[in-house]
Structure formats: C-alpha cells, structure tokens
Amino acid sequence: MRSVIALLLATTLLLTGACDRRPQPDGQDEAGTVPEVAATGGGEVPAKAGAADRSHKGEAAPDVQFERPDGTPTSLASFRGKPVLVNLWATWCAPCIQEMPTLDALAGEGKLKVVAVSQDLEGGKAAAPFLAKNGWKNLAAYADPKLGLSTGLNANLPTTILYDAAGKELWRVQGAMEWTGAEARALLGEAAG
C-alpha cells in the first residue's frame, strides 16, 4: 500500500510541477525558448506552448480506463467511430482553467465530441462541482483519478489531443489554447480529413 501511495504522490508532484510549463525539448536556446516548428522525419517539434505537436501522429489511443461522469469505467476506445478531442486538465491547473471557457464553447457547438478528463485525484468529486461552479455546462465531468491517461500519454497539463475516427492521434497541443479562435479552427478542421 505504501508503494501505491508513494507512486501517486510522485505522479502528482510531477504533474503539479509541470502544469504551467511546456516540456523542454533538446535544442532550446539559452533563454529557454524552442526553435520554430521544424520538420523532423516522423513529425514536428512544437515551437511554443499551444502549438500542434505531430510527433505522435498515427499512434493509437492508450487502452486505459477512466471514469464517465456517472462513475462507471470507460476508455477512449468507446469513442471510436467519430473524431474526438480529448483534453487532460485539473482543477488546480491555471492554464487548464484559462482554456476551459473556449473548450466548453467548442463542446457546445456539437460539431466535434469533446472529452475533458480531469486528472484530479478526487475524480468526479472534484471535477463535477468545479465545472458546475464555473457555469461550464457543455463539458461532462470525465475523471481519471489514477492518472492513467496523463501517465500513459506522458503528458503535462493541459494537453489536448485530436484522435481520428479510427482512434489514431492526429496531433496534440500542450498548454492552453483559445479553442474557438482561428488557429484552433484550422487544426480542428483536420478532424474531417
């Protein structure tokens, strides 16, 4: 039991420390900035937080269970058949909260399934009241209290991933994004392709 608690604590510290920072890939300059998007054999390296990372393009969604809003188990496989935008967030993550209003607005349009999965250790007990308190009515309170998705995807918070109808990743964005803006609309247009 102690090893499980230690693992959860270590994972929480990792996610908390990385919440508002982007990963620091090789090649960053002395100021800590990353070069502009550069094509690399298998994908691209994001130029900045909020830029599309295509280095995982074609990878299958992880086979990890998380909770539906009613607490029953589900996985990303249950969303296959249509494109889905998966957002990993937490109530304590400032960049996550910053992007939530536009993510909620996008979900309300009904053109694309948006699955926002809370990475709070309290699961839906934290996510549902938080969404309600902020008036975000279009996002359902999916929860991953075991942090299986963020760990399985090696993702900091927030991370948003677009999967095609076959459950294959098209791109991911780490960091907050304005999901109803022109840049996001262009990226989301790839869901139809």
Side-chain angles (χ1 to χ4, degrees), residues 5-16 121 146-147 150-151:
I5 292 171
L7 176 63
L8 285 174
L9 180 58
T11 304
T12 301
L13 290 174
L14 173 70
L15 291 175
T16 303
L121 296 178
K146 295 180 181 176
L147 310 177
S150 56
T151 302

Side-chain angles (χ1 to χ4, degrees), residues 35-169:
E36 290 300 314
V37 173
T40 59
E44 297 177 352
V45 177
K48 59 183 178 177
D53 172 0
R54 298 175 192 284
S55 64
H56 300 275
K57 186 173 182 172
E59 291 180 11
D63 186 23
V64 174
Q65 287 198 337
F66 56 96
E67 299 172 0
R68 288 185 177 102
D70 65 4
T72 60
T74 191
S75 70
L76 294 177
S78 68
F79 296 98
R80 284 193 189 129
K82 293 184 178 179
V84 63
L85 188 70
V86 177
N87 175 267
L88 304 180
W89 70 283
T91 60
W92 43 262
C93 172
C96 301
I97 297 164
Q98 176 187 352
E99 72 178 352
M100 285 304 232
T102 61
L103 200 62
D104 184 66
L106 178 66
E109 293 174 6
K111 297 176 185 174
L112 178 67
K113 179 68 176 174
V114 178
V115 178
V117 186
S118 166
Q119 300 297 287
D120 288 281
L121 296 178
E122 299 84 14
K125 291 178 184 176
F130 187 81
L131 293 173
K133 176 182 125 188
N134 285 288
W136 298 321
K137 299 175 183 174
N138 301 309
L139 295 172
Y142 291 92
D144 181 19
K146 295 180 181 176
L147 310 177
L149 286 173
S150 56
T151 302
L153 291 163
N154 194 26
N156 295 331
L157 301 181
T159 293
T160 306
I161 302 174
L162 181 63
Y163 289 101
D164 65 16
K168 303 289 185 183
E169 183 171 329

